């Protein structure tokens, strides 16, 4: 499963509607906003991400980066807002069993790589979190032990949001860690020596890009906020690195 966290209006599954880049990002002879602008300050959910045309997915790169869409015509340009939280899902391969702990993948050689390559590296770099969700066992499904209540989780998230509001109170138009520029990253996301060593190892081993490096710092800052920590600790960085499954070896055959 792939999750991209880049806020909550109800948007229908965009799989059937976003057949073209115009439907997704907007445009046309008489420019109209697309799904990504209609979900501004909300959530845009794209199911079965690799089933979208690659050209459709690639036009999302600029809106995800700039949080705005510019559509140019001969005599005018139109700017549409695009500050949306993108959430998407996908199978690990066409048959769905690649990396399955118990079942064998039935895909032909090279098919997994071809399937996953529909999601380009530059697009993945703009997605903060990638999570592989393994099958749930019967023991976990039948477990009657109560988990943490939603009210408790919500209170923790609201507290973290308040921390971020206070942090960026002097920054116009900025409200959360995801909006931080490179300058603010250097100001608010400085790991300690152990954290820098951990990041260096991850960069060298996995081959992370500079954009992925920035995403890890933003996510680790949010993890630290959720934990009520003023500083980014090594365990916060380690958790953020683990949230980039598709950057690691073992994906794509």
């Amino acid at each position: 499963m792939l999750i991209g966290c880049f806020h909550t209006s109800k948007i229908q599954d965009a799989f059937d509607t976003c057949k073209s880049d115009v439907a997704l990002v907007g445009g046309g002879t008489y420019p109209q906003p697309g799904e990504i602008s209609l979900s501004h300050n909300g959530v845009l959910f794209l199911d079965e991400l690799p089933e979208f045309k690659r050209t459709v997915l690639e036009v999302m790169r600029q809106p995800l980066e700039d949080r705005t869409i510019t559509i140019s015509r001969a005599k005018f340009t139109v700017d549409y807002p695009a500050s949306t939280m993108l959430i998407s899902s996908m199978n690990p391969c066409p048959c769905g069993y690649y990396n399955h702990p118990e079942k064998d993948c039935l895909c032909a050689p090279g098919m997994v790589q071809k399937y996953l390559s529909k999601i380009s590296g530059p697009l993945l770099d703009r997605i903060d979190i990638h999570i592989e969700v393994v099958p749930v066992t019967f023991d976990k499904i039948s477990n009657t032990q109560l988990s943490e209540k939603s009210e408790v989780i919500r209170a923790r998230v609201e507290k973290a949001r308040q921390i971020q509001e206070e942090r960026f109170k002097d920054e116009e138009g900025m409200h959360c860690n995801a909006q931080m520029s490179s300058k603010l990253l250097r100001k608010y996301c400085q790991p300690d020596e152990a954290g820098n060593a951990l990041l260096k190892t991850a960069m060298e081993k996995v081959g992370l890009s500079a954009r992925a490096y920035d995403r890890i710092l933003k996510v680790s800052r949010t993890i630290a906020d959720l934990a009520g920590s003023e500083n980014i600790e090594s365990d916060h960085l380690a958790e953020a690195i683990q949230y980039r499954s598709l950057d690691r070896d073992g994906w794509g055959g």
Side-chain angles (χ1 to χ4, degrees):
M1 183 175 182
L2 173 79
I3 300 181
C5 293
F6 251 116
H7 286 315
T8 295
S9 62
K10 185 176 181 181
I11 303 297
Q12 292 182 337
D13 181 0
F15 181 73
D16 293 324
T17 59
C18 295
K19 296 295 185 181
S20 68
D21 53 354
V22 172
L24 188 60
V25 302
T29 305
Y30 301 97
Q32 297 290 325
E35 295 291 336
I36 196 169
S37 290
L38 295 174
S39 60
H40 177 64
N41 288 334
V43 173
L44 176 64
F45 176 62
L46 301 182
D47 194 13
E48 297 295 348
L49 197 63
E51 301 299 333
F52 289 81
K53 293 180 181 179
R54 180 160 178 161
T55 53
V56 174
L57 296 177
E58 289 304 296
V59 297
M60 296 177 60
R61 287 161 51 179
Q62 180 257 336
L64 290 176
E65 187 79 12
D66 300 335
R67 298 177 179 272
T68 187
I69 299 172
T70 301
I71 299 174
S72 299
R73 292 293 179 266
K75 297 182 179 181
F76 63 92
T77 60
V78 179
D79 291 332
Y80 290 123
S83 182
T84 182
M85 178 183 288
L86 173 66
I87 300 178
S88 61
S89 66
M90 60 182 286
N91 285 313
C93 68
C95 78
Y97 293 126
Y98 184 72
N99 276 353
H100 195 285
E102 299 176 355
K103 298 182 179 181
D104 295 329
C105 177
L106 304 176
C107 297
M111 187 177 292
V112 177
Q113 179 61 46
K114 182 179 180 180
Y115 180 78
L116 294 178
S117 65
K118 294 180 180 180
I119 314 300
S120 69
L123 178 58
L124 282 177
D125 277 348
R126 289 167 170 81
I127 298 177
D128 297 328
I129 298 176
H130 320 152
I131 299 178
E132 180 183 6
V133 181
V134 298
V136 182
T137 63
F138 175 79
D139 291 339
K140 290 185 178 180
I141 294 175
S142 59
N143 191 345
T144 58
Q145 182 178 354
L146 296 177
S147 58
E148 190 175 18
K149 292 185 177 181
S150 298
E151 293 86 350
V152 177
I153 298 174
R154 177 172 181 169
R156 186 163 64 247
V157 171
E158 288 178 343
K159 184 176 180 179
R161 280 287 188 172
Q162 290 170 3
I163 292 173
Q164 293 170 42
E165 288 280 357
E166 178 64 22
R167 176 179 297 137
F168 303 121
K169 63 181 180 180
D170 296 327
E171 305 292 337
E172 185 178 357
M174 189 167 297
H175 309 284
C176 63
N177 295 331
Q179 299 173 314
M180 279 192 289
S181 62
S182 297
K183 179 181 178 180
L184 292 177
L185 276 175
R186 292 191 294 269
K187 182 177 181 180
Y188 295 115
C189 300
Q190 285 298 320
D192 56 18
E193 187 175 344
N196 275 322
L198 182 63
L199 268 174
K200 181 181 179 181
T201 300
M203 292 281 290
E204 293 174 348
K205 184 177 181 180
V206 185
L208 297 174
S209 67
R211 187 174 281 111
Y213 171 85
D214 288 349
R215 302 287 179 184
I216 289 174
L217 286 179
K218 292 179 183 180
V219 173
S220 63
R221 178 66 268 173
T222 300
I223 293 171
D225 291 343
L226 288 167
S229 175
E230 183 176 349
N231 300 316
I232 297 176
E233 307 293 345
S234 297
D235 56 335
H236 303 143
L237 280 167
E239 183 176 347
I241 292 169
Q242 289 301 310
Y243 290 155
R244 297 197 66 85
S245 298
L246 298 189
D247 290 330
R248 296 199 292 267
D249 293 335
W251 274 93

